[in-house]
Amino acid sequence: LPRGVRHLRSAWAIARAARAADVVYATGMLGRTAIATRLARRPTVVKLTSDPTFERSLRYRLHGSDLDAFQSARGVRIGVLRRARDLMLARAAHVVVPSASLRGLAIGWGVAPERITLVPNPVAAPADLPDRELLRARAGFSGPTLVFAGRLTPQKSLDVALDALSRADTVSLVLAGDGPEEERLRAKVDELRLGERVRFLGARPRAEVFELLHAADAALLSSSWENFPHMVVEALAVGTPVLATAVGGVTEIVRDGENGLLVPVGDSAALAAAIARYLGDAELRGRLAHAARQSVASYAPAEIYARLIEVLERAARR
């Protein structure tokens, strides 16, 4: 069947299921989800994970800048996508966002503040992780090792991380994930002559990602824009501090000098200095690691799901 017909059939199936519910929780904004929630005629709570117009514009190559700069972008197709987003949000009984950063963007689109509730994504670290030194040996970590876990995409600006690594002798970086930037990043590693100091592991199971983060000296995130970076919370949940750029939702999770270190976006020299400061100061490492787990205790699933259920019940009573 043509793609459009398949989407309509899928939307109709979703709508039929939604009609049996008291409230619909929609985690997609455009396309079949929007059609389905409209057909269902049930109160709908929309979960925003980013600006869906921005995500579509990147996919269709309508815009290549970061999330904040995109908010002032112009163009007919971008305008159509924005209109679809705004109509969906206007019809929603309520809107849920995982970060204050995204909440601020949604208010800028015209969503009333009282119609938006901040509910972070839940994160639960395994309770039975093996000993850190055992995990380091198993993963082949020797010497100071930083870990990044996630998709290798332009958003993550991993070239900044590689530039910083080139200024930090003896430090290694392990990349757990795959994505469209992998070939370019491998070429960058060769260009900077980083050799075996950078390892590409490809996509790894979630359990293994937690083990890698626990084994690392620190988690590294050099993103140019972020909403709610799961790797950051996952690293802190296993007691590993985070070295990251101060962007979007990162600053709501990582507190500079408390559970990690923050640097300006796109500044590889500042990131290299943060790496050197962190690895060169045992007291700082110990203090940040000691605070890591407790700093994300509020992201425990039981607490987060209770807050989400409260939002859904309020919407269903309308």
Side-chain angles (χ1 to χ4, degrees), residues 226-242:
E226 282 289 355
N227 171 34
F228 184 94
H230 285 86
M231 183 201 74
V232 168
V233 184
E234 290 170 351
L236 294 171
V238 297
T240 300
V242 177

Side-chain angles (χ1 to χ4, degrees), residues 100-183:
S101 173
L102 187 55
R103 183 176 187 273
L105 287 179
I107 291 172
W109 305 333
V111 183
E114 63 272 17
R115 295 183 57 239
I116 309 173
T117 297
L118 197 163
V119 181
N121 296 329
V123 175
D128 56 349
L129 280 172
D131 177 75
R132 180 172 178 270
E133 293 305 318
L134 175 63
L135 290 175
R136 286 181 66 83
R138 184 187 299 174
F141 291 2
S142 60
T145 304
L146 309 175
V147 167
F148 164 84
R151 291 278 291 160
L152 309 184
T153 61
Q155 169 191 357
K156 303 302 181 181
S157 297
L158 286 164
D159 52 334
V160 174
L162 295 177
D163 283 333
L165 198 70
S166 71
R167 304 168 188 247
D169 294 338
T170 75
V171 181
S172 298
L173 174 62
V174 171
L175 303 169
D178 55 16
E181 288 280 278
E182 183 172 344
E183 184 176 343

Side-chain angles (χ1 to χ4, degrees), residues 15 49 51 86 98 109 130 149 169 201 239 264 289 302:
T49 57
D51 178 355
D86 294 346
W109 305 333
D169 294 338
L201 300 184

Side-chain angles (χ1 to χ4, degrees), residues 6-292:
R6 292 201 308 270
H7 280 197
L8 285 173
R9 290 184 61 179
S10 175
W12 178 246
I14 296 170
R16 289 179 62 188
R19 284 179 177 172
D22 296 311
V23 62
V24 177
Y25 184 50
T27 57
M29 277 290 299
L30 304 178
R32 75 191 79 179
T33 306
I35 296 170
T37 55
R38 184 66 172 167
L39 291 172
R41 297 182 180 179
R42 292 291 184 272
T44 301
V45 173
V46 170
K47 165 72 178 289
L48 280 176
T49 57
S50 182
D51 178 355
T53 304
F54 175 63
E55 299 295 336
R56 287 292 178 96
S57 294
L58 286 179
R59 188 182 309 167
Y60 301 151
R61 303 188 183 216
L62 303 179
H63 198 269
S65 188
D66 62 39
L67 179 59
D68 290 334
F70 174 77
Q71 301 307 308
S72 59
R74 296 292 178 265
V76 174
R77 295 182 70 185
I78 290 175
V80 170
L81 290 173
R82 280 200 179 115
R83 180 61 176 161
R85 175 200 68 196
D86 294 346
L87 282 172
M88 180 66 172
L89 290 173
R91 291 169 179 160
H94 205 74
V95 178
V96 169
V97 295
S99 70
S101 173
L102 187 55
R103 183 176 187 273
L105 287 179
I107 291 172
W109 305 333
V111 183
E114 63 272 17
R115 295 183 57 239
I116 309 173
T117 297
L118 197 163
V119 181
N121 296 329
V123 175
D128 56 349
L129 280 172
D131 177 75
R132 180 172 178 270
E133 293 305 318
L134 175 63
L135 290 175
R136 286 181 66 83
R138 184 187 299 174
F141 291 2
S142 60
T145 304
L146 309 175
V147 167
F148 164 84
R151 291 278 291 160
L152 309 184
T153 61
Q155 169 191 357
K156 303 302 181 181
S157 297
L158 286 164
D159 52 334
V160 174
L162 295 177
D163 283 333
L165 198 70
S166 71
R167 304 168 188 247
D169 294 338
T170 75
V171 181
S172 298
L173 174 62
V174 171
L175 303 169
D178 55 16
E181 288 280 278
E182 183 172 344
E183 184 176 343
R184 189 181 71 83
L185 292 171
R186 286 183 180 276
K188 181 82 170 178
V189 169
D190 292 339
E191 176 190 328
L192 294 173
R193 299 182 179 179
L194 293 172
E196 294 183 357
R197 289 174 56 199
V198 179
R199 291 167 55 195
F200 292 82
L201 300 184
R204 312 308 299 171
R206 184 175 174 81
E208 186 175 337
V209 168
F210 275 114
E211 292 182 351
L212 289 168
L213 291 170
H214 185 47
D217 289 280
L220 186 67
L221 187 73
S222 53
S223 298
S224 53
W225 71 89
E226 282 289 355
N227 171 34
F228 184 94
H230 285 86
M231 183 201 74
V232 168
V233 184
E234 290 170 351
L236 294 171
V238 297
T240 300
V242 177
L243 312 179
T245 45
V247 60
V250 175
T251 60
E252 300 166 39
I253 305 166
V254 179
R255 294 182 287 280
D256 188 48
E258 294 185 25
N259 58 359
L261 298 177
L262 296 173
V263 301
V265 175
D267 192 335
S268 59
L271 187 56
I275 293 171
R277 176 190 170 198
Y278 175 78
L279 294 174
D281 188 336
E283 187 279 331
L284 175 65
R285 292 199 307 276
R287 177 161 51 82
L288 299 186
H290 180 74

